[in-house]
Amino acid sequence: MTDPNAASRPVQAVILAGGQGSRLRPYTDDRPKPMVEIPGTGTPIIGHQLAWLAEEGVTDVVVSCGHLADVLQRWLDSTDLPVHVKTVVEAEPLGRGGGLRYAAEHLPHPDRPWYATNGDIWTRFSLRDMADFHAERGAAATLALARPRIPWGAVKTDGFGHVTDFIEAPPSTFEINAGVYVFSAEFAKMLPERGDHERTTFPRLARERRLAGFPLPQGAYWRAIDTAKDLTEAAKELAALGR
């Protein structure tokens, strides 16, 4: 049976891989953050992301590079990739929004929607479902929303101040920006040429009700790899999941 939504889903994506990754040192002393390997997986973060994007129907990816871009480029050149990859490097720092806009200018289909992801996100969920959610709401941009686990144990009390339970690493009561996006074709022109889109473009779209939030499905794996502890926790979680 033909999928009626297939033609409207993105086939192109941007990976933002230019950060310094200072909180992941010493791992990032000789490689950019997306090149850090989750222990036991044999694959750097960006390798996982490219495989995931390919499984979700993406054929072309633009990787926005910065810190140690040559290391990432050498890995891309020496690896059998599941998608066509183009790398771009900013001649001067443009900020998150400007960098995203610059990368988007190199996408092969400027008249079609596109995905984007931060280069330190390790996740699995249906991007096709997210793209359909985005299209149904007529949004200019859609953010994936996660409920990360709080790194501390929580305490429950009753109305009299008695402790009733202890909960180890409960999920947050708030949803956060999960660093994965679906953008409409015209979104690139809404981005600043220099600066941070999360302080300019996103708030404006939210006021206009053109910014949507897609909650990650229950049970979907998601983790931002920002510190050495995140690497250790991700390795344990992925081993438990058999991945």
Side-chain angles (χ1 to χ4, degrees):
M1 182 180 294
T2 303
D3 186 343
N5 297 319
S8 64
R9 293 180 189 137
V11 295
Q12 55 189 356
V14 168
I15 296 177
L16 297 173
Q20 291 287 328
S22 56
R23 295 178 65 191
L24 259 177
R25 287 176 177 161
Y27 298 99
T28 50
D29 284 344
D30 62 354
R31 69 196 64 190
K33 188 191 281 191
M35 282 298 300
V36 173
E37 179 186 322
I38 306 296
T41 67
T43 304
I45 298 170
I46 194 168
H48 159 84
Q49 292 181 324
L50 292 172
W52 175 49
L53 289 168
E55 290 169 5
E56 294 295 324
V58 171
T59 58
D60 292 88
V61 176
V62 174
V63 180
S64 177
C65 307
H67 175 63
L68 297 175
D70 58 325
V71 176
L72 177 53
Q73 186 66 62
R74 285 198 299 272
W75 181 83
L76 292 169
D77 290 342
S78 64
T79 303
D80 184 15
L81 302 173
V83 294
H84 178 265
V85 176
K86 178 182 180 65
T87 56
V88 296
V89 181
E90 300 167 25
E92 56 182 319
L94 300 174
R96 290 193 297 176
L100 187 59
R101 178 171 180 150
Y102 178 68
E105 289 172 354
H106 293 81
L107 289 168
H109 309 290
D111 59 338
R112 296 195 63 174
W114 45 293
Y115 298 118
T117 181
N118 295 342
D120 59 355
I121 301 299
W122 188 279
T123 187
R124 283 277 172 159
F125 65 91
S126 174
L127 285 174
R128 291 181 173 91
D129 287 350
M130 186 176 172
D132 293 346
F133 179 96
H134 168 85
E136 287 165 3
R137 281 146 187 83
T142 297
L143 290 61
L145 303 177
R147 289 186 185 271
R149 291 198 168 274
I150 298 171
W152 310 281
V155 177
K156 292 185 71 175
T157 60
D158 62 18
F160 296 98
H162 299 123
V163 174
T164 60
D165 200 3
F166 295 90
I167 306 173
E168 185 66 26
S172 170
T173 56
F174 293 98
E175 293 176 313
I176 67 165
N177 180 349
V180 180
Y181 312 91
V182 182
F183 295 135
S184 63
E186 66 270 18
F187 178 77
K189 295 179 181 179
M190 302 177 189
L191 289 163
E193 294 186 0
R194 189 183 302 270
D196 188 348
H197 62 295
E198 294 195 12
R199 296 180 180 274
T200 55
T201 310
F202 279 176
R204 184 177 74 252
L205 290 176
R207 290 192 298 270
E208 297 171 355
R209 298 293 189 270
R210 300 178 66 199
L211 184 66
F214 175 78
L216 294 190
Q218 187 171 3
Y221 184 78
W222 178 89
R223 180 175 281 275
I225 308 300
D226 196 41
T227 66
K229 183 179 180 181
D230 292 325
L231 279 176
T232 302
E233 293 298 319
K236 291 178 182 176
E237 292 163 355
L238 292 169
L241 291 169
R243 295 177 182 173

